[in-house]
Every structure is written in C-alpha cells, then in structure tokens.
Amino acid sequence: MDEAKVRELVVAAIGDGSHEFGSFFLSRFFGITVFYETDACIVSLDVRPYMFNPQGSLHGGVLATALDISMGHLLKHQLGAGATLEIKVQYFAPVRSGLVTCRASFLKKGRKTFFLQSSAQNGSGETIAHATSTWKQL
C-alpha cells in the first residue's frame, strides 16, 4: 500500500477526533459498522489488504478487536459502559477477503460482572472465530 493511501486512511479515521460508541478511531480505521438486534450487537467490517498479517490473511488482532467491540457495544447498549476484564479468542479459519460479521450476545448477566460471547462469520456464513469475555460495568 502506498504512502498516500495510508495517509488517506488515517486522515479519514481521525475524522473530527470524536470517540463515541459506534464511531471512534479504530472503528473508522477498520470501516466497522455497528447495529443492534433485541439481544445482540452485530459488528461488520470489509477485509482489506492493510489489515493482513504476514501470511496474507486478516490479522488476528483486527478480528479480536471486532469481536471485543461487538461485546462492549452490546453491554453499553443494554446496561451501560464497561471494561473488558478478560477475553479469549479461538480462531478457526483464515479470511483473505469479503465481509466479516461478529454477533455478540450475553452468556450471563450479574450485578456488576457480565459474561459475553461473540462469533465471527465470513461472507459465506462459515464461523471463522469465537470469543468469550468477562466485563465489569463502569
């Protein structure tokens, strides 16, 4: 990727500098969209070469970020802001192109501690990763 394209991506991601749920630097940089269903948060991103690891597939950290965003946004949407206490991600298959969609849901709701999960699918509906996490309400 040439320097001009990288500069364009960063300038677009910086935008007005706002950091709000649904629109903050990383979500803008990765082109993440967020929407909600009754008991779920769905986060999507279109895989681009600048997101690749050296093996030529979507970097696990980018995918972990999308999974984390889906769970954090669900918690915020339903109960208020929280912080990730721990997260475990299992990767099942590489992705080299297309749309990736992460769907988060609650496993258990406590008074201040919450357990969530999110599964990532590629454009064909194949599960490519799964995450579980523990959150503390702020």
Side-chain angles (χ1 to χ4, degrees):
M1 178 177 288
D2 66 43
E3 186 176 326
K5 183 62 177 168
V6 171
R7 186 177 314 279
E8 182 181 318
L9 283 167
V10 171
V11 168
I14 291 170
D16 64 3
S18 65
H19 293 285
E20 302 166 3
F21 276 85
S23 180
F24 57 98
F25 179 83
L26 284 177
S27 67
R28 292 187 298 262
F29 187 69
F30 294 132
I32 289 174
T33 60
V34 177
F35 66 95
Y36 302 95
E37 293 178 348
T38 303
D39 288 319
C41 176
I42 294 87
V43 164
S44 299
L45 66 101
D46 203 13
V47 175
R48 305 279 186 215
Y50 75 91
M51 300 173 188
F52 286 179
N53 59 29
Q55 290 77 36
S57 60
L58 182 62
H59 190 284
V62 174
L63 187 50
T65 298
L67 290 159
D68 186 58
I69 289 170
S70 70
M71 293 181 282
H73 278 53
L74 178 60
L75 179 63
K76 165 75 164 122
H77 183 71
Q78 288 198 1
L79 300 164
T84 311
L85 296 177
E86 69 77 38
I87 186 170
K88 176 187 178 186
V89 180
Q90 294 174 293
Y91 301 96
F92 306 132
V95 177
R96 291 180 174 80
S97 64
L99 188 69
V100 169
T101 303
C102 303
R103 187 178 195 282
S105 61
F106 283 96
L107 289 168
K108 181 174 172 66
K109 296 178 184 178
R111 287 187 305 179
K112 291 286 185 188
T113 305
F114 302 88
F115 302 90
L116 291 98
Q117 66 180 347
S118 185
S119 288
Q121 284 80 36
N122 63 18
S124 301
E126 175 188 10
T127 300
I128 56 169
H130 185 263
T132 56
S133 64
T134 307
W135 288 74
K136 178 180 180 178
Q137 190 173 22
L138 299 177

